[in-house]
Amino acid sequence: MDLRTEVLRVLDEVLSLNGRSASFELDTPLLGAIAELDSMAVVSVITTLEERLGVVIGDDIDGDDFATVGSLVRMVSERLDG
């Protein structure tokens, strides 16, 4: 499984981006840059990632984890490894 691809798939689905996430790079800004990613959407993204990947993300996240695609992928990867 390619984690970056799965994270982008979740973002596209949860935020109803209609394929826009396909053009996202690791340095693509998320929080504050994508209008669809509000506080409620963050919760939905976390929940969907937990369900799909079998990972527990928990409450110890902050805005830096959602700053860019890369930071989100890194945070999820750390939870999978840890």
Side-chain angles (χ1 to χ4, degrees), residues 7 10-17 20 24 28-46 49 61-69 71-72:
V7 168
V10 167
L11 287 172
D12 204 75
E13 178 184 310
V14 171
L15 303 178
S16 300
L17 297 177
R20 283 184 14 221
F24 291 0
T28 299
L30 295 176
L31 202 57
I34 298 177
E36 295 88 348
L37 189 59
D38 59 16
S39 59
M40 291 304 296
V42 166
V43 173
S44 295
V45 168
I46 290 170
L49 287 168
I61 60 166
D62 59 35
D64 291 342
D65 294 320
F66 278 82
T68 65
V69 170
S71 64
L72 181 57

